[in-house]
Amino acid sequence: MTDPFLTHRSLLFTVAYEMLGSAADAEDVVQETWLRWADVDRAEVRDPRAYLVRTVTRQALNRLRTMARRREDYVGEWLPEPLLTSPDVAEDVELAESVSYAMLTVLETLGPTERAVFVLREVFEAPYEEIAGALDKSPAAVRQIAHRAREHVAARRPRMAVSRAEQQAVVERFRTAIVTGDLQSLFDVLAPDVVLVADGGGLVPAFRHPVEGAERVAKILSGFPRYGAGARMGTMWLNGAPALRIDLDGVLNAAVSFVFEAGRISRIYTVANPDKLARLGETVHLTKQPIE
């Protein structure tokens, strides 16, 4: 008989990652959950999956509060750690949206408890009573928190869905415009109010603040053939969506994710912090099993 922890490991990692936005921290939380699972008397656990989800939620919540203090000293903009995913993740529309870079950046604007409730309820369809048990709150309080979180996310998520085929086409147009330094083609593919956010973590050069507006962003990106001499730009799948990778001397230098609206790019997220690129050599298996 397969150990329940192994059966539900992908689910536990997905819950932790969506709560934390960090694959490294999510792995640590899953490992902490395993240690508690290894010590528990299995005869006293009526529902192993519910127990494991409750444990990973509590551990992730503790880690989230610790990370919030850590980020106060972070140099420049903090972005979620991207995940290398297989193209088939995009075929599961709900899963792809829940782990998308657009959603993760919106979740960053929630408080720890609100984020936990939103992830468990809206993404994994956990019953209010189950969430209440994980967070030591009443079901009524959880319902109120879920309502506030839902409204908060709805006001900030992309307003219009864009098909994966259209996303791929836009990314390829963007890539071609950058490598050729074609300023007009960049204007054509960028939304007027596009925002470029970069995360170097103070370890590598990166813009300390967001760059806003198509004119400023296009002017910066059109210089890539000059300041990116020797670099190679290719495509990859990150967080269930088409993205770009920039390699310099055969080493991954940056990962670029996008938010799309009305056939154009409205957000560009460039992660260059080497600590956040370390896991991009391995594909992560995610799952969205409802928690009933």
Side-chain angles (χ1 to χ4, degrees), residues 86-162:
S86 56
D88 63 344
V89 170
E91 296 173 8
D92 185 332
V93 177
E94 290 186 355
L95 175 60
E97 182 184 15
S98 72
V99 299
S100 70
Y101 222 77
M103 178 58 76
L104 289 174
T105 54
V106 171
L107 292 179
E108 287 298 320
T109 64
L110 290 170
T113 302
E114 288 77 12
R115 183 167 184 168
V117 170
F118 182 87
V119 168
L120 291 174
R121 179 62 188 172
E122 299 303 314
V123 179
F124 295 98
E125 303 170 19
Y128 289 112
E129 294 75 14
E130 183 70 30
I131 302 172
L135 302 181
D136 294 324
K137 294 185 178 295
S138 70
V142 169
R143 285 178 184 274
Q144 290 184 333
I145 294 170
H147 177 73
R148 291 199 305 269
R150 200 160 42 238
E151 288 189 333
H152 181 97
V153 171
R156 291 162 177 79
R157 73 198 319 170
R159 296 179 292 275
M160 194 176 303
V162 179

Side-chain angles (χ1 to χ4, degrees), residues 33-45 51-52 55:
T33 300
W34 159 250
L35 293 176
R36 282 161 176 74
W37 174 248
D39 286 341
V40 75
D41 182 352
R42 309 291 171 86
E44 296 181 359
V45 179
Y51 174 88
L52 289 166
T55 303

